[in-house]
Every structure is written in structure tokens, then in C-alpha cells.
Amino acid sequence: MDKQTLKRLCGEAIDRNRDAIFALADDIYRHPEMGFHEFRSTEKMKEAFESLGLTVEADIAYTGCSAKAGQEGGPVVAVMGELDSLNCPDHPDCDANGNMHSCGHHAQLAALYGCALGLVQSGVLPSLDGAVKFVAIPAEEYVDTDYRTGLIKEGKLHYYGGKQEYLYQGGMDDVDMVLQAHLINPPKQGAVCCLDTDCDGFIGKSVRFIGRASHAGFAPSEGINALNMAQLALSGIHALRETFRDEDKIRVSTIITRCGEMVNTVPAEADMEIMVRGATIDAMLDASKKVDRALKAGALAIGGKVEIQNRIGYLPLHSSRELTAVYRENVEEYLGCDDSAFITQYVSAGSTDLGDLSHLVPCMHIWTGGISGALHASSFRVVDPEAAYILPAKMLAMTVIDLLFDNASRAKSVMDAFHPVFTKDSYLAFLQEHSKLDFFDSAAL
Ligand SMILES: [Zn+2]
Ligand SMILES: [Zn+2]
């Protein structure tokens, strides 16, 4: 069969099953689960894959599941859909706990199911020279860190991001490239999708200033005020902002999470959470070092101590231009659209753990429409289910066909054009090297 026939059969299979795809989207939407809590959503995806006759591997990264289909021996294309919701208690559709799919990950799962259904039920896979791995992946949102720290301490989890954990667990060992499409309200009227995506990476810091308590009225001179350390550190961070280069897209976000218990006592401890974002690994590390300096300067000025628990959050994403080009061709062909349908480059200071994978294999991250309002906000609505669920299902499936058709020549050229920054081992070593506890005691000077 020629490639156009394979794509037509695949599209028809998706169209025949659009009710099942909508039903899955609706089911996941109505049962949102936060990262590494996605037990029900994992089960639903497992059932969906099994309904296609696929063998499913479950709990691939604490939660999550995957299923592989196609021919052995050729390239393996992973299609990923993220499982986790957010907490968005002011959204009218949130559940009793305030959980809500306001990042639209339920749509990714519908598109993933639709893509699998199209490729499997159409019978096109035997005509392709490679395999496809359908992955329902947990915990993209970097939230709820106390819960994840607890799982790590119990030895049930090793990393804070689902894709990081999946990579660690060996899920990426047989994967040559990753395709993903994420909802967005395109920032241009009439645009179908945003194509080449670059995102910041970030380093997370849990900070504790340690001083000494004393009576705030009659003995403040005997205290070491941790709040004052934090305040000076924040001033230091603000003073550093002029040193951040525009092209590095540095963002330093800070909150004080705990500081003192009673106003008549000099605060002995102050806790902060900090995110340092940057467009490159070097930029992230450089800004992180400067922030650490400001934190230590705060402790030094007041004569206290500071503990800085650094964690590499997610790495910057530089999506594969070669993979994006294949997806774009399919949208152009299928919708008959021109340049105006696309935002060709989307640069964001947001972060995703797909960035980590993009340092090892080519990764595609398409932003696709179908919603109104904003991601992560109470205004988020799916207004066009066809655009949100069915179109990405078809475009992902047809991209797989292009990649794996004709001795997988297109997939092989994508792989040839890619230069990995890390191997799995060097990536894990990098995370470890930059995820250390730094302790500074001004008394030691
Ligand atoms: Zn999100
Ligand atoms: Zn998201």
C-alpha cells in the first residue's frame, strides 16, 4: 500500500471511533489526578490499550503505562500523553479536592488513544518498518514536592518528574524519538498550532535559614534573626537581576514558606522555595550559583547559617525541527492550510520534563488548539473537541506513518541529524552532581 492509503485508512479508523475517543477524554477530565496519584487514569489507559489487543506494561514510572506495537528491528517512535492534573480550586469543573485538568493533559490521553487506535485498527503497522510505543506518562507538573519527597524517602520514586523517572526505570532504553502534542490557546487568531518549541529549564531550591530564637522585646540582641537573613537574601537576588542576559531568559521565583511562630520571638528559622529558570543548562547553573551567593550573603550578614537543597528540576527543551517539519506537512496536507495556520516558533520561559528527554533523543512538542482561556487558570475550557482530541490523534498517527514508511528513512534521517547532549548514564550523573545539599555557616569564617 502507498503512504497516502495508509494515512487514509488510519484517519478513517479514528473517525469511526470518535465517540470512544470523546468518551475517554470526558472520563479522564471528570476524574483528575495529580502527579504520581494517577492510579485510576493509568487503569483507564491500560484498559484503552488492551481494548486494541495490545500488551500493556503498567506502573512504568510509579504510575503510568505503555504499550508497544509494530515491527522489531527498526526505529522506535514513542508517542506520549501526560496523565496528571493540576489543583485549580476556583475552576467550576474541579473535583472535591480542587483537582482539575486545567493544563489539558486529558486531551493528550484522548489523542494518544486515538493515535494508537488509528494505527492499530487500520492495520497499517505491518506496512511500516519500525515500532511505536504508546506511553501514558505521569507527573509532568512540578508540584506537590512534599508528597514526592516522601515517595523518594520511601524508595518508591527516584525523581520528581514522570519522564525523569521513566528514563531512570529504563523506559527510554528502546526509544529513538518522542512525539507529543499539548493543548494551548494559540496566541494568534485562527492558528491551528505552534510548531518549534523552546522552553526554559530550571533548578529548584529548598532553603532553610537557621538563626537563634530569643525574646523579641527584652533580648533581641541575643537572637539571630532568620527572617532578616531571608530578607537580605531576597534583596541580593533582586540586585543580581541586572546581571542576567536577555537571551538566557532567567527567571528567579521565590516564596517564603515558613518564618517564625510568634511575633514576640526572634525567628530562629525561615524556609524558602526558589525556582531558577534559564534557556540553557549553562545559564541555569550560572544564575543558580549567583542565587546561592545571595543566600549565603544573607546568612553571613546576620551571623547565621543556611542550608540550600539544590535539585535539578527540568532541563531546557529544544524541540526537534526535523520532527516538527513532518507534523507540519501532515497538518498542511490534511487541512489544506497555508502558513497562517502556524506559529512557527514558540519560545517560552515555562518548563517541561520533555526537556530532559530532548537531551537524549529527538523530541517533538506541538502546541495544538481547541481551547479558550488560559492554561492553569479557571478560564480554561475545551471549546472545540475535534481540534483538541481528534486532530492531534490523526496528526500524530500520520507523523508516525511518515517516519516509519519506506524502510523508516525519515526516522533515520531525524536520528542522523540529532546530536545527543547526554547518554542515560551521563544524564543521571549530571542530575546527581547538581542536586546536592549546600551548607553555609557564617561562624566558620
Ligand atoms: Zn501545565
Ligand atoms: Zn501541561
Side-chain angles (χ1 to χ4, degrees), residues 82 84 86 102-105 108 140-141 163 180 182-183 351-352 365 367 375-376:
E82 293 160 348
D84 55 329
L86 283 159
S102 51
C103 204
H105 293 182
Q108 290 187 42
E140 185 276 332
E141 306 285 356
K163 296 184 191 71
Q180 194 179 323
H182 190 298
L183 286 186
S351 306
T352 168
H365 188 288
W367 296 97
L375 297 176
H376 289 216

Side-chain angles (χ1 to χ4, degrees), residues 298-364:
L300 176 63
I302 307 298
K305 304 167 188 167
V306 61
E307 278 177 6
I308 308 166
Q309 177 62 62
N310 280 300
R311 281 188 303 269
I312 292 283
Y314 298 155
L315 298 187
L317 171 67
H318 182 73
S319 65
S320 160
R321 274 47 181 167
E322 291 78 15
L323 285 174
T324 302
V326 185
Y327 191 95
R328 178 190 175 127
E329 286 166 23
N330 279 293
V331 176
E332 282 174 335
E333 202 173 280
Y334 185 73
L335 294 180
C337 52
D338 59 18
D339 270 2
S340 64
F342 303 105
I343 293 165
T344 49
Q345 189 164 32
Y346 189 76
V347 179
S348 156
S351 306
T352 168
D353 53 358
L354 191 66
D356 294 55
L357 304 188
S358 77
H359 285 73
L360 283 84
V361 295
C363 290
M364 183 191 83

